[in-house]
Structure formats: structure tokens, C-alpha cells
Amino acid sequence: MNFDFDTGQKELRDQVRRFLQKESPTTQVRRVLDGELPYQQALWSGLAALGLTGAAIPEAYGGSGFGYLELCVVAEELGRSAAAVPFSSTVYLVAELLKACGSEAQKQAWLPRIATGQTLGALAWTEAAGPMDLSRLQTRIIDGRLHGRKAPVLDGPVADIAVVVARDDDHAGAPALALVDLHGPGVTRRTLRTLDATRGHAELSFDGASVERLGAVGEPARQQLAAALDRAAVLMAFEQVGGADVALGMARDYSLQRFAFGRPIGSFQALKHLMADMYTDATLARSNAYHGAWALSTGAAELPRAAAFARVSATRAYQRCAKDGLQVHGGMGFTWEFDCHLHYRRASLLSVALGSLGEWDARLIKALRTAA
């Protein structure tokens, strides 16, 4: 298979990169990190004005109607800039779940608001450390009301709506997806302190909050959640690939500018080998991300396997490039003034945003066994 983006998609990439270089320099990302802003609100408005928040939303619901390949291109550029916006939660997860299993009324109500940037979303699915087990959910729907707690919820501090994974006691305790207005009664949230404050996390508590069921309960809900995570894994892999490329580029540039013993440190064999390993991991991750993009855009049956490959390799590549990039910078890399820590933080956050690396290793093994 020889997959590549077409000319129009590459032009979109160049346009988005120029836009982000202008509107999302690291000084703006640092404003969120320092607590001056909850997220880059001006950037979010700009992304919406360009039609990027609705890139994969059909035109019938106010979106741009592009497709997944265009969304992959946008994701990579957002990863390069470490943008502090709730794009993955809102676009990769909530919008995709609404498209896949929402009723026509739910789609009409929420997709246009997401496409125009008016509504931010979050997926509330985790309740405790460790792998997600839908048979042990503590959050419950009782008589059409939601009770329980979800934490940590990525982008929970700023989200307007959430898709909550809960046990539906009105349907024999089967797992269900519930759409919740986070500004409604019965919902409280508490911001959590995490490594990457540019993408906030919250604890969401529900005490009789009103819900709308999203799709059918039971096995269909399991399947829709798994499919949404596969799609999000491919898109997030592009974010990670973009971030890994920037972290590697920062390390390379610094190694050519920093001199020791009269020579640029990049000429030393130890750093050459370190950066060669970074480059190898980043290149492998890009190859797997491209395979995932092909599977996602064509609806191929091998998407679960391709998504797991993309997720595992991109997670490892971004973590390696961010961590080893710090080492290349030496003591300076650990200072606040340098930008290395922005990508180290983001690499750590994205490594668990859709479940741990161990969980995706297990998904990959299962997919490979199924295909055998």
C-alpha cells in the first residue's frame, strides 16, 4: 500500500500550519499553563471560523463536510503547536459519538453548535485507575437520572456537554452512553491538578442530573464506544506524530548550536545515536499513523488493528522524543525558559488520554489474534 495525502490536503496542512504559527505561539500556550486562561479561547474561535471544528461534520449539520483525512492533517498541526484547546475531546470523541449513534434530534441540536465552536465537549468514562471495565461501572442511571462520579475527565473544566459512560439500571444494569448538559442542575465539577495544565482535567459529580441516552444500551453501547476510541486513536496519533517531529527538531537544532570542547554537541556519537533512535521511532509512528488514516477514511475492517498500531507506536515515539529531547538540551532542557517541557507534558497527557499504553498493547494483541 502506498498511501499519501493529496495536493488539496497538503495545501490545507500548510495553511493550518501558518495559521497556528501566527495564532498559537508557545507564549499563548504558556498563558494557559500559567493559569491566565482556561484554554486558548481566541484560537478556538479562529479554528471554528476556518471550519476546522466541523471538518468531519456533514454539511447538513453545519459542518465543513471534509472527511477524516482532512481531520488527520489538522490534528498533526495542532500537535506540532501543542495547542491548548479541547479539540480532541470535542471533535474526535463527542462529535463522533453524536454522528455515530445520536438521534436526528440530538444531531440537529448539538452538531451545528460544535461545528461553529459554540459548544465544547468531553468524554467522561474513567472512574478509577486501571483498565476500563464496563461491567464494574459505579456511575448509574436510575429513573432517567444520573448518579455517580467520573474522574479524571479531560477538558472537563471547560466542557459544556459530556458523553458519560454509565450503568443503566433502567435497563437491567447494561452499559449506556448518556448525553449530559454540564451546566444543568445536579452536576458539580472540581478541577484537578495534573502534569499538563494546558489541557485541564476535572472530577465530575452527578446527583440526579438529567440525561439523554445516546444510542442503544448494552452491547451496541460497548461497540460504539470501542469504535469511537479507534477513530480517536488514529486522530490522536497524528497529534503525537506532530509533537514528536517538533521535539526531535528542537533537539537537532540545539545540538547544532550548542558547542562543547570547540565542537557542536550534535557531532558527538552518543547524541547522534540518541537522535537517530528518536528519528526511527518518529518515522515508524508516522508510517503507522498513515496506515490508520487509510483504514479510517475507507472504513476498512482492519481499522481496530490499524488504530492500535498507530496508537502504540505514536505514543512511544512522542514520549521518547520529548524525553530524550530534554536530555539533548542538558540542564537547559529542564528550565522553564525552554519549551521542551511543553512537549514533555503533552506527551505524558496524550499517553493516557484514551487509556494507557498497556491497554492499547492488549487491544493490539487481540486485534492481531482476531486477524490470524
Side-chain angles (χ1 to χ4, degrees):
M1 183 184 70
N2 184 21
F3 172 84
D4 195 7
F5 294 102
D6 64 27
T7 302
Q9 290 153 358
K10 291 177 180 178
E11 289 177 352
L12 174 64
R13 177 190 62 199
D14 294 341
Q15 291 171 357
V16 174
R17 183 172 300 183
R18 288 194 296 269
F19 171 76
L20 290 171
Q21 287 172 343
K22 179 182 178 182
E23 302 296 333
S24 185
T26 55
T27 53
Q28 293 300 312
V29 178
R30 284 172 176 270
R31 291 187 66 192
V32 181
L33 183 61
D34 291 336
E36 295 179 31
L37 299 170
Y39 65 100
Q40 288 177 269
Q41 294 154 313
L43 175 62
W44 183 258
S45 297
L47 292 169
L50 292 174
L52 301 181
T53 52
I57 293 177
E59 293 179 87
Y61 301 110
S64 303
F66 289 144
Y68 288 120
L69 293 183
E70 287 78 8
L71 197 52
C72 288
V73 167
V74 175
E76 181 176 350
E77 296 310 310
L78 290 170
R80 290 180 62 85
S81 68
V85 289
F87 198 87
S88 60
S89 298
T90 304
V91 178
Y92 307 166
L93 292 166
V94 173
E96 284 298 306
L97 283 167
L98 279 164
K99 285 167 52 182
C101 52
S103 66
E104 184 62 25
Q106 289 169 332
K107 293 176 184 178
Q108 292 285 357
W110 294 110
L111 287 178
R113 296 182 61 84
I114 290 174
T116 55
Q118 299 175 67
T119 294
L120 309 180
L123 175 64
W125 61 311
T126 55
E127 298 180 348
M132 182 64 174
D133 186 348
L134 296 186
S135 66
R136 297 183 179 180
L137 290 168
Q138 298 300 309
T139 308
R140 303 164 65 187
I141 300 173
I142 304 173
D143 296 330
R145 299 284 177 173
L146 186 64
H147 302 265
R149 164 190 166 277
K150 290 290 185 179
V153 179
L154 178 60
D155 297 314
V158 300
D160 300 301
I161 60 173
V163 175
V164 181
V165 183
R167 190 178 80 184
D168 194 339
D169 286 5
D170 297 342
H171 293 80
L177 302 176
L179 189 62
V180 182
D181 181 353
L182 297 182
H183 299 298
V187 180
T188 58
R189 50 181 141 190
R190 179 174 64 90
T191 300
L192 303 175
R193 184 183 179 92
T194 57
L195 178 62
D196 187 0
T198 64
R199 295 286 301 279
H201 287 74
E203 176 187 88
L204 301 181
S205 298
F206 307 100
D207 185 12
S210 178
V211 301
E212 296 179 30
R213 289 177 180 83
L214 197 62
V217 302
E219 189 58 29
R222 290 177 185 271
Q223 294 173 353
Q224 291 291 358
L225 179 61
L229 291 175
D230 285 339
R231 293 191 294 270
V234 174
L235 296 165
M236 194 168 285
F238 276 89
E239 277 197 41
Q240 293 169 304
V241 165
D245 279 355
V246 169
L248 173 58
M250 290 167 59
R252 178 203 60 215
D253 293 347
Y254 184 80
S255 73
L256 296 175
Q257 298 164 5
R258 178 75 166 91
F259 279 68
F261 308 108
R263 298 165 55 191
I265 62 173
S267 66
F268 300 147
Q269 189 177 51
L271 292 188
K272 286 181 178 179
H273 286 183
L274 192 69
M275 287 186 284
D277 288 340
M278 293 164 65
Y279 175 79
T280 300
D281 277 10
T283 302
L284 176 62
R286 180 174 293 279
S287 175
N288 283 319
Y290 274 39
H291 180 211
W294 167 81
L296 179 59
S297 64
T298 60
E302 64 189 85
L303 176 59
R305 184 168 77 252
F309 267 121
R311 173 68 178 165
V312 169
S313 61
T315 297
R316 288 177 172 160
Y318 196 10
Q319 287 185 306
R320 164 167 274 190
C321 290
K323 176 179 68 68
D324 288 353
L326 280 170
Q327 299 296 330
V328 172
H329 284 77
M332 295 301 295
F334 290 83
T335 63
W336 191 262
E337 290 74 18
F338 275 59
D339 289 334
C340 300
H341 64 95
L342 297 177
H343 283 283
Y344 183 81
R345 293 169 188 271
R346 185 57 58 84
S348 299
L349 179 147
L350 294 183
S351 71
V352 296
L354 298 175
S356 70
L357 185 58
E359 291 177 71
W360 282 94
D361 279 334
R363 288 169 72 105
L364 176 56
I365 292 169
K366 181 180 178 181
L368 289 172
R369 285 175 174 169
T370 302

